[in-house]
Structure formats: structure tokens, C-alpha cells
Amino acid sequence: MDPHHKRNQLLSLAGMCAIVLFLLYAQTYGTSYDVRILNNCALFIILAVSYNLINGVTGQFSLEPNAFVAIGAYTSALLTLTPMEKEISFIIEPIIWPLSVIHIPFIFSLIAEGVVTAIFGFIMGFPVFRVRGDYLAIVTLGFGEVVRVVANNAQTVTNGPLGLKGLAPYTNLWWSWGFAIFTVFMISRLVKSSYGRALKAVKYDESAAEAVGINTFWHKMLAFTCSAFFEGVGGGLLAHLITTISPTLFTFFLTFNLLIMIVMGGLGSITGSIIAAVFVTWGSEVLRFVEEPMHLGFIDIPPVPGMRMVIFSLILIFLMIFARNGIMGTREFTWNGVIDWIQKYVKPAGKGT
Amino acid sequence: MSDFFAATGLTMKFGGLIAVNDFNISLSEGEIVGLIGPNGAGKTTVFNMLAGYYVPSEGSIRFRSQILNGRKANEITKLGIARTFQNIRLFSDLSVVENVTIAYHCRIRSTFLGAVFRLPLYRREEKEMYEGAMNLLNEVGLSHVTGERSNSLPYGMQRRLEIARALATGPRILLLDEPAAGMNPRETMELIDLIRRLRDAHRLTVFLIEHDMKFVMKICERIKVLDYGTTIAEGTPEVIQNDPRVIEAYLGEA
Ligand SMILES: Nc1ncnc2c1ncn2[C@@H]1O[C@H](COP(=O)(O)OP(=O)(O)OP(=O)(O)O)[C@@H](O)[C@H]1O
Ligand SMILES: [Mg+2]
């Protein structure tokens, strides 16, 4: 259908090479701090893009990603820790049997946590999608809380509040960016397909979607389960990046962070989610200074932990009032769009000189 | 009674309000049947029951030897009964052609993985959906606006787009809720031709609600009249036009 298909594929390939070169550069010359920020960017791209699938594309305002990320993180940690390490970690009560002996390579654990989280998402979808709108948000919020409380109390599985420590730092730039690119690729393929159109139909008008024969329940389940899969793998990557996980990591704040990203990017736009994920991740590093003690001439400001969250919340409020469509609205990056834009703004200028 | 489509004893209660009482309709293949009545008579409620949006308090609906009671709206569409809405319900932000391709989705055989990986079956189906949509848009006279956003179209065109979208689901029965509302007299007359043409080309049976009497009398072969949820008359346009109870119901309203 698109006459520029070949050209666009080449451009995508070139873009991919550029990313690989950039990562190589970052890995060779970047400080460990740079690398950490880049890893965080990739992880938040994964989480935001998959959250956007259910919240933005399908329009089902839900608040569960912290639950999915937690499930993914715990699953992967329990699978990659060696039996020995687990025995040492679980000091209060020993870990239950099959988990105590299972030990699989990182790559298989990624697949496993995706599948496990997807299964959780699928089961959870049945009660969740019996309700709509505000109720949907509340039910999913509750689910996130339940998962956190379970993580805190299921001593023999999660090691309770102590969490799991000493995970191997498997997640490097290649894993994080590789999977981020994979996530973006898969989800944009899905969104651009007939199934994606059906998801948008559910978002715009559920009654009309039913009228054209779309089973709205199963399509919401599809989006939710896919979202869970990618959130789960993202959680596993996160666990092996920070190497220590505990229930406090997976509070509502994680969801809130992701919510800011997808709203800022434009609900429904994958491109927007990516831009906002990078912007917020990088921005919260830059803004680190606001939480430190400051000396402004005569005034000494004490450290204010959580100040960055306040700033991001203010940005979110500002966006909701003045720019509800976010950075991208529902638009997406396309090579055709870029080239049209270049031809419109760059060529005339070039001719003039 | 026809074994193609028959609804018997349909009753819809909303709390204490009986919106539709003991409604019966049977359709034969290829007919164009009208449902008229003053505002609030219960016409849209009848459609909502037939299309699976409301669960009737009483009564049964049969379509080609299948009982439709209790089926979901999307299942009923897949079985071959498509509808349009009185208050146009297009997918407003999407393009005209996308609005129609969406409606083919319920019949595709590709799984979502087949779609994500663009397997040959999916690519063929995607092409078929697109071509089918373009053909339907051509039939309803919208081939010049396929790339526009659907909510940028004038009313008359939006109504025709909704018809094209309903047709894409491959229906045997088409339920049209006030298809001429918002159209000017010329568009209304063109709509008569269009509905007849579509009925012949797609072997449809049409059941429609409309307030425009000229339109109804001209296009319908048979008409049912509702007033306060009760059927007060039924027959050919000539019979209906001269029925004293119908005249009273309409005059009483004015
Ligand atoms: N979901 C509902 N809940 C409560 N009452 C309803 C509901 N749907 C319809 N009604 C009531 O049922 C009655 C019939 O409504 P309906 O929409 O079927 O009328 P109509 O004949 O289509 O009228 P119009 O010509 O104005 O479209 C009205 O009194 C309406 O208020
Ligand atoms: Mg009505």
C-alpha cells in the first residue's frame, strides 16, 4: 500500500544501526552513571509503552503496572538465584520446595516471567473487566496493593520485607535496549494491525465496537495480557539491574511515574510514551539537586526527599489543564512524516540560499 | 410466521416504566419494514433488544432457527444482524476508511500473533479488508473522502458511513435507526435509492426507524406503529396513512 515501504525499512535499519553504535560508544566511553541512566531509560520505555497499550491505545484507565512489574521481578529473581543463595537469603523462614531448587539461565527466566505475569494478568482480567471507568481504576489499584502486601507477607516465597538480594547484574545495555526495541516493535505492530484498530474502536466507543462485532471483553483482555507480559519482562530486567528487590520498590509510585509518562507523551501514542519515558527518567536525574540541601546566600534549605515527585506532579497537573493531548496526542512517528517535514521546512530554505 | 426472523412478545421494563410492551415482528428475506411512532414510543428500545444491547424482560427473538435471547451484541452482529445508531456513533478520531475496515475485523481468521508477525494469511486478509472497505465506500458514495477523519464529515455523509460500516460486518438484516435524520430533502431521496440498491446488492432485509413520513411511506413495504410501547397499527403504507389510531397518536403528540 505504501510506495515508500522499502525506503522506510532501510531508514529503520539505519536507525537501528545508529542506536547500536551509540550504545557501543556509551558502553566504551560512558561512566557507569551514564550507563545506569541509559538502562533506566530503556526499562521505562518498556514499562511505559506496554502500560500505554492498555491505558492509551485501548482507553482502559487502569493502575496496575506496579503489580505486574513486581510479579515479573520476583519471578525472575526466584528463578535466577542459585539454591545456595536462596538458602542464605531466607533467614527467617526457608523458601518453599520447588522454588528452593529451581535455577535457570537469565534468558529463560525472562521468558518465564513474561509468561507468568501474562497468566496473572489474564486471570486478573476476568474480574477487572466486569467494570468500567472509575471502578476499573479502583479495582486495578487494589490489585497493585494486594500484590505488594502479598510480597510483604508471603515469607516463604518472597522473603517478606527483607526482599531478595544479591541478584546477578545481568541487565546491561544490550539486554535493556534490546528488549526495549523488541517491545516497541511488537506493540507497534500490534497497534497497526487489525487487532490494534479493534483496540482503538474499544477506546473510542464501546457500543459501536460491539455493533461491528468486536468482542470488547476479549480485546481488553488481549491488551491487558500483552501489557502484563511486557511489564513482567521489564520487571525481571529491573530486578537484575538493581540486583536487590523488596516490596517497597513496587508501590503505587511506580505506577504514578508511568502514568505521568504516558499522559505526558499523549495517551495512545507509542512515540509519545518513548519520548516521555526518556524525558522523565533523564529529568529526574537532572532534578536530583532539588532534593539536596541548598545554601542560597543566607537561607539554608534542608533536604526535601520526594521533591522531584512534587515537580513531576505539577507538570502532570499543568499538562492535564493546558495540554491534555500531551506531546504527541495520538500521533506516531513515521518515516513518511519525517520526510514530509524535512521537505516542507528544510528544502525551501536550501533553495533560498 | 417467518422462520427467517421473528421476535415475539418482546417487553422491556425500566423499573416501573414499560418502554415496550408485547412487541411482535417477523421479517421475510428481502423486505424493507418500517417502525414509526411519536418520540419516546419505544422504537430505539426495540432495536436495542433485537441487537443485544438490552436483555428483554420478556419475549423471544429467533433468527434462522437460533434463539438470540441473552446473546451479546457482538455475537448478534456476527450472526448477521447489523445496526446503525440514532445518535451517530462513528470512531470519531479515525479515518473514514478505518471506520469501515474495523468492521471486517470480526470475521478475520488470523490470530493476533498472525497479525503481529504479518503472516501471509493476515496480509491477505488485511488487503481484503482494505479493498472491501474501499468498495463499500464507493457504493455509498464516499470514495472521495476515504482519508478524512470521520468526524469532519457532514451529517449526511456520517450516516452513510455508518451504513457502510454496518455492511462490512456482512449482515443479512440491517437495522437503521433514523437514517435520514439530519439529511436535507435531496439527500433523503437519494438515501431511498441507496437503501434499495444496497438491499439488492447485498441481499439484505431492512428494518428501519424514521420520523420523516415521506421517506417511510416511500421506501417501506410494511410499517409498524408504536405508541407508548404498544403496537397500535401495522400494514402497508396506505393502510397506515389512513388508520385513525395512527392519526390520533401523531395529532395527539402535536
Ligand atoms: N436505558 C434506559 N433506562 C431507562 N429508561 C429508558 C432507557 N432507554 C429508554 N428508556 C425510556 O424508554 C422510553 C422509550 O425510549 P426510546 O428511546 O425507545 O424511544 P424512541 O421511540 O426511540 O424515541 P425517539 O423517536 O425520540 O428516538 C422513553 O421513555 C425512554 O426514556
Ligand atoms: Mg429513538
Side-chain angles (χ1 to χ4, degrees):
Chain A
M1 255 186 289
D2 185 353
H4 302 302
H5 187 64
K6 268 263 134 52
R7 180 198 70 191
N8 294 346
Q9 274 187 331
L10 283 176
L11 283 170
S12 298
L13 199 67
M16 207 78 90
C17 291
I19 293 176
V20 170
L21 285 176
F22 174 72
L23 293 178
L24 263 178
Y25 173 82
Q27 197 170 44
T28 326
Y29 299 103
T31 62
S32 66
Y33 177 73
D34 297 334
V35 170
R36 207 188 73 212
I37 294 181
L38 279 174
N39 273 322
N40 283 347
C41 285
L43 290 185
F44 277 103
I45 288 174
I46 296 166
L47 301 183
V49 167
S50 45
Y51 187 29
N52 178 56
L53 179 66
I54 182 74
N55 261 33
V57 177
T58 320
Q60 302 302 306
F61 192 85
S62 58
L63 298 168
E64 78 299 325
N66 59 326
F68 289 157
V69 176
I71 294 170
Y74 273 100
T75 308
S76 78
L78 290 169
L79 291 176
T80 59
L81 282 172
T82 60
M84 185 67 142
E85 287 167 329
K86 284 184 235 186
E87 213 183 303
I88 298 169
S89 280
F90 284 67
I91 42 172
I92 297 177
E93 275 181 69
I95 184 167
I96 50 164
W97 168 64
L99 291 175
S100 58
V101 291
I102 294 176
H103 171 57
I104 63 174
F106 182 55
I107 177 151
F108 296 122
S109 84
L110 288 181
I111 299 167
E113 73 226 23
V115 171
V116 167
T117 315
I119 291 170
F120 266 94
F122 183 78
I123 294 169
M124 178 190 160
F126 285 93
V128 160
F129 293 118
R130 295 180 69 90
V131 293
R132 295 199 168 94
D134 302 346
Y135 299 101
L136 177 65
I138 293 165
V139 171
T140 48
L141 180 67
F143 185 75
E145 205 47 27
V146 167
V147 168
R148 197 182 61 78
V149 170
V150 168
N152 226 349
N153 293 292
Q155 197 77 44
T156 53
V157 180
T158 63
N159 203 22
L162 291 179
L164 301 169
K165 296 192 178 63
L167 307 183
Y170 289 121
T171 305
N172 54 25
L173 284 177
W174 306 113
W175 279 115
S176 63
W177 281 92
F179 193 72
I181 291 169
F182 178 73
T183 306
V184 171
F185 176 78
M186 294 295 276
I187 290 185
S188 31
R189 278 286 191 112
L190 177 64
V191 170
K192 273 190 268 173
S193 76
S194 180
Y195 282 86
R197 281 195 298 264
L199 298 181
K200 289 181 202 163
V202 172
K203 167 183 178 170
Y204 286 120
D205 191 329
E206 268 191 53
S207 295
E210 285 276 331
V212 297
I214 293 169
N215 189 322
T216 52
F217 175 77
W218 284 116
H219 279 81
K220 289 177 199 170
M221 289 289 270
L222 171 69
F224 200 60
T225 309
C226 286
S227 177
F229 177 88
F230 290 105
E231 302 275 4
V233 181
L237 289 168
L238 180 74
H240 290 91
L241 179 68
I242 52 184
T243 68
T244 300
I245 57 171
S246 65
T248 49
L249 264 179
F250 309 105
T251 58
F252 178 68
F253 275 112
L254 177 60
T255 297
F256 186 66
N257 256 318
L258 294 172
L259 190 63
I260 288 176
M261 290 176 194
I262 62 174
V263 171
M264 189 184 279
L267 282 172
S269 169
I270 296 170
T271 316
S273 296
I274 297 172
I275 295 173
V278 172
F279 179 77
V280 173
T281 309
W282 176 76
S284 55
E285 287 303 324
V286 172
L287 285 176
R288 219 167 249 288
F289 74 90
V290 300
E291 296 189 359
E292 278 154 19
M294 277 185 272
H295 310 284
L296 302 170
F298 300 104
I299 318 160
D300 275 347
I301 300 176
V304 227
M307 193 62 194
R308 288 180 295 169
M309 219 50 217
V310 174
I311 293 178
F312 281 118
S313 304
L314 287 174
I315 293 178
L316 184 65
I317 292 170
F318 178 83
L319 278 169
M320 291 318 287
I321 297 173
F322 298 106
R324 205 161 293 170
N325 292 332
I327 300 168
M328 295 295 287
T330 52
R331 284 167 298 159
E332 292 292 354
F333 167 91
T334 60
W335 288 116
N336 287 354
V338 171
I339 286 179
D340 287 350
W341 188 84
I342 290 173
Q343 280 172 348
K344 203 160 133 202
Y345 291 100
V346 179
K347 251 216 190 119
K351 270 181 197 155
T353 49
Chain B
M1 186 163 301
S2 129
D3 45 357
F4 178 63
F5 182 87
T8 42
L10 286 185
T11 300
M12 188 75 226
K13 296 177 186 155
F14 296 112
L17 173 81
I18 303 181
V20 174
N21 191 15
D22 193 21
F23 181 83
N24 298 290
I25 177 85
S26 88
L27 301 171
S28 319
E29 282 194 76
E31 271 190 304
I32 300 183
V33 181
L35 180 61
I36 63 171
N39 289 106
K43 306 179 295 295
T44 300
T45 305
V46 167
F47 269 28
N48 280 335
M49 285 190 281
L50 299 183
Y53 283 79
Y54 292 162
V55 179
S57 315
E58 281 162 42
S60 76
I61 308 167
R62 281 173 160 276
F63 172 51
R64 299 208 284 186
S65 76
Q66 298 195 62
I67 306 273
L68 299 190
N69 293 54
R71 298 239 191 195
K72 299 242 174 57
N74 71 74
E75 296 174 58
I76 290 179
T77 304
K78 272 177 249 169
L79 286 172
I81 301 178
R83 72 171 300 180
T84 65
F85 294 90
Q86 178 174 353
N87 48 338
I88 301 172
R89 302 188 86 136
L90 291 167
F91 304 117
S92 51
D93 246 8
L94 303 182
S95 72
V96 167
V97 65
E98 275 179 310
N99 265 276
V100 184
T101 40
I102 281 177
Y104 283 103
H105 179 71
C106 68
R107 302 234 183 262
I108 67 171
R109 283 176 297 139
S110 297
T111 63
F112 83 98
L113 284 175
V116 167
F117 292 109
R118 304 284 191 269
L119 299 182
L121 172 67
Y122 175 75
R123 275 186 293 190
R124 200 176 71 227
E125 286 183 324
E126 176 71 37
K127 191 159 165 275
E128 282 166 5
M129 286 190 272
Y130 180 76
E131 286 169 359
M134 290 307 244
N135 285 337
L136 282 175
L137 288 170
N138 196 23
E139 273 185 75
V140 300
L142 293 175
S143 51
H144 57 296
V145 290
T146 53
E148 309 273 321
R149 270 164 51 126
S150 62
N151 58 359
S152 71
L153 300 182
Y155 253 164
M157 286 192 179
Q158 291 196 17
R159 293 242 176 247
R160 280 184 279 148
L161 176 55
E162 242 200 356
I163 294 176
R165 184 179 73 180
L167 285 178
T169 65
R172 305 301 316 282
I173 297 178
L174 191 57
L175 306 174
L176 302 174
D177 198 342
E178 306 200 10
M183 287 190 173
N184 63 37
R186 193 175 54 84
E187 283 178 314
T188 306
M189 287 304 121
E190 284 169 3
L191 184 65
I192 294 180
D193 288 337
L194 177 67
I195 292 175
R196 287 200 176 127
R197 239 184 312 122
L198 294 175
R199 188 251 324 245
D200 297 338
H202 298 267
R203 297 177 45 243
L204 297 170
T205 304
V206 181
F207 188 30
L208 61 85
I209 297 173
E210 188 47 68
H211 281 293
D212 184 328
M213 283 307 137
K214 240 174 106 186
F215 173 88
V216 173
M217 296 301 161
K218 210 160 165 196
I219 192 170
C220 296
E221 292 145 10
R222 204 148 62 80
I223 296 168
K224 289 184 84 89
V225 189
L226 271 186
D227 190 23
Y228 293 111
T230 314
T231 311
I232 57 166
E234 177 172 8
T236 59
E238 297 76 45
V239 172
I240 295 298
Q241 270 167 315
N242 300 315
D243 190 307
R245 274 171 307 176
V246 177
I247 296 168
E248 194 195 334
Y250 273 90
L251 288 181
E253 185 203 23

